[in-house]
Amino acid sequence: MSANDRPAAGQPPTATYESAFLKACRREPVPHTPVWFMRQAGRSLPEYLKVREGIPMLESCMRPELVTEITLQPVRRHNVDAAIYFSDIVVPLKAIGIDLDIKPGVGPVVENPIRTRADLAQLRDLTPDDVSYVTEAIKLLTAELGSTPLIGFAGAPFTLASYLVEGGPSKNHEHTKALMYGDPQLWADLLDRLAEITSAFLKVQIDAGASAVQLFDSWVGALAPADYRRSVMPASTKVFESVAGYGVPRIHFGVGTGELLGLMGEAGADVVGVDWRVPLDEAARRVGPGKALQGNLDPAVLFSSTEAVETKTREVLDAAAGLEGHVFNLGHGVLPTTDPDALTRLVEYVHERTAR
Ligand SMILES: Cc1c2[nH]c(c1CCC(=O)O)Cc1[nH]c(c(CCC(=O)O)c1C)Cc1[nH]c(c(CCC(=O)O)c1C)Cc1[nH]c(c(C)c1CCC(=O)O)C2
């Protein structure tokens, strides 16, 4: 039995299964509100910058010992309730041979953007052998993590398509939308291919020992609900259904998705991530019953005084008071120049404030 499995009849549940994070995801009572931070690994930590020195981002994702060390750093430092696997959303695309790189300060850049039917041939299936370093790193990690759950993750089909079609980061997603509106069949086929690759990548992580998965649809907030439902939801639903049988919580997150929260839950998430623009009580009304929520302190708040951080944190916790399940997080990733001590204090504050 792996740590994330539901206990068999007559068997005691594992400490990981009983962790506050997994309990909150399952909407069970918790000893305290669990906390983790998107982008907690890397970025603001000096010990991260030190071990990454001279190693390009994508290369660092392929070194199991380094991935293990970077993933553990925020767990040691901040006492967060979950670890997130150190990688990037473009790693599975690189693994199937897409010519891309992650440029420091820019993000993923794709050499030959996908815009025609012929370009789809670049997207072959992902097999576990393509990402054997992921399996190896997760095995090392789960041995080190003890009862702290590990979150695996992947980019959602829309957000991956946006990088592939634009060729890099984009503000307006114009090429992506041109394809989506102009050639709906090619678009649907592209998203379906990406759903297959994403599903395979998540399964590798769960098989290796990840206790939960998060599907990042970071840029899908650029769409209106009707377009999301028609052009994106079928592919995201396919991803969630593909991992439903494992019984691990499925988290879904995007930025600026206030109008999409209900649909993103409907796509198959057990936990819906919320950015800071919608208070959690209102988010719960939009998502409806039967799902936990994750969020949603504005990451920029961490640049203000300890007192102001505590005030804003209480607002989040108060709005979360009536939820069925709440995982405390930021409304998006940790900003690169955040003071790491502010994150450590925040974890402590949430734990103290919510101790039951
Ligand atoms: C959209 C997206 C990407 N990558 C990711 C997303 C979804 C999350 C989100 O919405 O923020 C996901 C991601 N990327 C990274 C992680 C690590 C795990 C963690 O959350 O701590 C995770 C979960 C490492 C990374 N991914 C990246 C870095 C920085 C690269 C470096 O240090 O050289 C790290 C630590 C690069 C990257 N990769 C991407 C961007 C926009 C960037 C930032 C560019 C920059 O500001 O430098 C694509």
Side-chain angles (χ1 to χ4, degrees):
M1 185 178 93
S2 77
N4 54 44
D5 283 338
R6 196 169 284 275
Q11 293 292 314
T14 63
T16 308
Y17 186 83
E18 294 283 36
S19 65
F21 169 73
L22 290 175
K23 280 187 163 173
C25 291
R26 296 193 300 264
R27 295 172 285 118
E28 294 170 9
V30 285
H32 60 262
T33 298
V35 188
W36 72 279
F37 302 120
M38 291 183 279
R39 301 297 194 96
Q40 69 189 15
R43 293 213 143 180
S44 67
L45 298 185
E47 59 268 37
Y48 165 74
L49 297 173
K50 191 151 170 258
V51 294
R52 268 286 318 280
E53 221 172 303
I55 307 170
M57 175 62 192
L58 280 172
E59 201 192 313
S60 67
C61 296
M62 295 171 194
R63 295 194 189 180
E65 282 84 13
L66 187 58
V67 166
T68 301
E69 167 58 22
I70 295 173
T71 302
L72 291 172
Q73 284 175 346
V75 179
R76 288 188 202 116
R77 190 191 254 265
H78 303 309
N79 193 28
V80 281
D81 293 272
I84 180 153
Y85 181 69
F86 182 79
S87 183
D88 193 81
I89 58 168
V90 296
V91 162
L93 302 178
K94 181 81 181 173
I96 59 163
I98 303 275
D99 188 356
L100 62 83
D101 199 7
I102 295 180
K103 299 247 152 76
V106 178
V109 177
V110 178
E111 192 58 36
N112 304 304
I114 292 184
R115 294 183 188 162
T116 67
R117 185 155 290 278
D119 295 333
L120 275 191
Q122 291 186 52
L123 294 172
R124 69 160 173 86
D125 284 340
L126 178 94
T127 70
D129 284 345
D130 294 319
V131 285
S132 52
Y133 47 86
V134 173
T135 300
E136 202 184 317
I138 291 184
K139 291 201 163 142
L140 289 173
L141 265 168
T142 45
E144 293 271 335
L145 276 165
S147 62
T148 304
L150 177 69
I151 304 169
F153 75 92
F158 175 84
T159 291
L160 292 179
S162 158
Y163 284 108
L164 289 171
V165 176
E166 300 295 334
S170 167
K171 200 164 155 224
N172 298 315
H173 309 280
E174 51 267 60
H175 295 290
T176 311
K177 289 184 178 179
L179 183 62
M180 190 177 100
Y181 297 124
D183 194 342
Q185 191 56 54
L186 175 55
W187 172 260
D189 293 346
L190 168 62
L191 261 70
D192 194 65
R193 291 296 308 127
L194 291 169
E196 298 272 350
I197 293 162
T198 295
S199 298
F201 190 55
L202 290 177
K203 284 180 194 172
V204 166
Q205 295 175 70
I206 301 169
D207 280 335
S211 294
V213 286
Q214 175 152 326
L215 191 64
F216 282 98
D217 213 348
S218 301
W219 312 137
V220 80
L223 298 184
D227 290 323
Y228 177 85
R229 185 188 280 284
R230 188 185 312 117
S231 306
V232 174
M233 204 170 152
S236 297
T237 303
K238 182 171 177 167
V239 174
F240 284 124
E241 280 178 358
S242 78
V243 293
Y246 289 92
V248 304
R250 298 160 297 171
I251 313 170
H252 201 12
F253 170 79
V255 183
T257 48
E259 302 302 325
L260 303 179
L261 290 172
L263 293 172
M264 289 175 75
E266 241 181 83
D270 305 299
V271 183
V272 177
V274 184
D275 81 3
W276 62 91
R277 294 170 180 88
V278 182
L280 290 176
D281 48 355
E282 172 57 22
R285 280 189 283 280
R286 295 182 187 189
V287 168
K291 303 202 187 281
L293 297 185
Q294 175 173 281
N296 72 345
L297 186 73
D298 181 346
V301 164
L302 288 160
F303 290 80
S304 63
S305 66
T306 302
E307 202 176 48
V309 173
E310 291 182 355
T311 304
K312 296 300 287 179
T313 301
R314 282 197 302 277
E315 282 176 25
V316 171
L317 295 174
D318 289 348
L323 300 186
E324 294 180 45
H326 177 218
V327 175
F328 189 95
N329 205 314
L330 303 177
H332 196 187
V334 173
L335 295 166
T337 53
T338 305
D339 174 6
D341 292 340
L343 291 169
T344 308
R345 283 195 299 270
L346 177 55
V347 176
E348 204 183 339
Y349 186 71
V350 173
H351 283 170
E352 274 173 19
R353 238 357 257 178
T354 60
R356 277 144 215 157

